[in-house]
Amino acid sequence: LQNSWTATSVVHFEKSGDRAHQVSPLIEAIPLTPTEEILIQNANLEILSENRKMIAPPHMRPFPYQPEERVTGGTGLIQSFAQCPFQAFSRYRLHLRSPEIENEGINAKIRGILLHEILEKLWGKLKDFKTLLNTSQDALIDMIHEVMLGCQPKIEAFGIGALYWEVEQRRLKEVLLAWFELEKQRAPFSVLKTEHWASIELEGISMRCRLDRVDITEEGVPIILDYKTGQVNLKECFGERMDAPQLPLYCFADYPPNPKGVVFAQLGRDKLNFIGVTEGIGLLPGVGDVSTLKHADVQTWEALLDLWKQELSPLIQGIKQGHHEVSPKSPTSCTYCDLTSFCRVFEETPWN
């Protein structure tokens, strides 16, 4: 940041009332001078003494990616930029993170990690629809227990107590057994890949993504599945600032060649669904083809891909050009962001 401006002014408040503030790691190497000893004369920065606010200049200079600079973050970068350019810039260019709060229990992040690992190992054993159908309930339960036992080192690494893990195992077994019953309602398929790293090339930017699972039908139709433990809605995959760009982005990955379906596999305790879109009808329970979409006026798979490319293009170009405006899409963009104390958005937004 310092190298991008001819002059940089940094403000650090030592106290709020009786509470002392630590210096941010971003500026701890910069010599600080008490404000009483300096006079800030900067047309792009105004310090309001009555409420000690900092107002950023209206047109902040972007920081384009340099040719030698690697774009990191994958689909998370696109999702973050759609929510707020400043959020994406802070997380993936400045690499800022709030410290994680230690918790004896199992939070949503850990629950997702465990579910992905367990499903990866289970499908490594089952491999296809036919084997799943021919596996008895008791054998499936034994397989689940065996895989969960293999998760013990990760449980210990997360610092999860034995009682919490015992409860979670019961919950996971219930969810997985119900999920496999839903999988049995599908047309025959084989699992090609699980947790597979693929590359996406769009608008001159290359990014990596990890595909939770890639299936192929008996007719040779590749389908990409993205596991979700929380709420999902296909509507979130459409629009100029889409909330869930994963499925659209996966369509442009270098593997599998020409996928003809992208779906969320929702594995919640109360909701088990396939939510997405395929080129043909009847490939997955509850999933319609392109003509049934409510959020896009397209009739063919090719037209859907063109639409998604059009909607993704401004987001990728904005990232490439280095835009970093504090511009949250909605109040929820800030509700689930851990960087609001850095951007101080609540001091200016109308929904505060």
Side-chain angles (χ1 to χ4, degrees), residues 98-102 107 109:
S98 291
E100 291 192 8
I101 300 173
E102 292 188 9
N107 59 32
K109 179 180 178 181

Side-chain angles (χ1 to χ4, degrees), residues 122 135-148 173-174 176-177 180:
L122 286 172
T135 302
S136 68
Q137 183 86 338
D138 288 341
L140 197 55
I141 290 173
D142 289 341
M143 195 181 295
I144 291 171
H145 284 160
E146 181 186 349
V147 169
M148 286 183 179
K173 185 183 80 170
E174 180 183 327
L176 289 167
L177 289 174
F180 284 127

Side-chain angles (χ1 to χ4, degrees), residues 292-346:
T292 65
L293 285 173
K294 299 178 181 178
H295 314 296
D297 185 17
V298 292
Q299 297 299 316
T300 66
W301 185 255
E302 290 71 22
L304 175 61
L305 296 186
D306 288 341
L307 173 65
W308 271 339
K309 187 174 287 189
Q310 291 170 20
E311 293 179 339
L312 288 167
S313 178
L315 298 176
I316 296 173
Q317 285 297 329
I319 291 169
K320 187 177 178 181
Q321 294 163 11
H323 287 284
H324 54 89
E325 300 85 0
V326 178
S327 176
K329 177 183 176 181
S330 70
T332 55
S333 302
C334 302
T335 301
Y336 300 104
C337 179
D338 58 352
L339 300 170
T340 51
S341 61
F342 182 49
C343 73
R344 303 171 74 174
V345 66
F346 289 125

Side-chain angles (χ1 to χ4, degrees), residues 51 86 95 109 113 117 127 136 143 171 177 183 188 191 206 208 220 226 296 308 324-325:
N51 58 11
F86 186 81
H95 304 289
K109 179 180 178 181
I113 291 171
E117 180 170 328
K127 300 189 182 303
S136 68
M143 195 181 295
R171 189 196 72 84
L177 289 174
E183 294 265 23
V191 176
S206 176
R208 298 267 286 166
D226 190 36
W308 271 339
H324 54 89
E325 300 85 0

Side-chain angles (χ1 to χ4, degrees), residues 78-83 234-249 307-313 315 329:
I78 309 295
Q79 185 173 22
S80 183
F81 188 85
Q83 292 302 313
L234 192 57
K235 180 181 179 181
E236 297 174 349
C237 298
F238 294 89
E240 294 179 357
R241 296 176 71 174
M242 59 183 71
D243 292 315
Q246 297 96 322
L247 298 190
L249 283 166
L307 173 65
W308 271 339
K309 187 174 287 189
Q310 291 170 20
E311 293 179 339
L312 288 167
S313 178
L315 298 176
K329 177 183 176 181

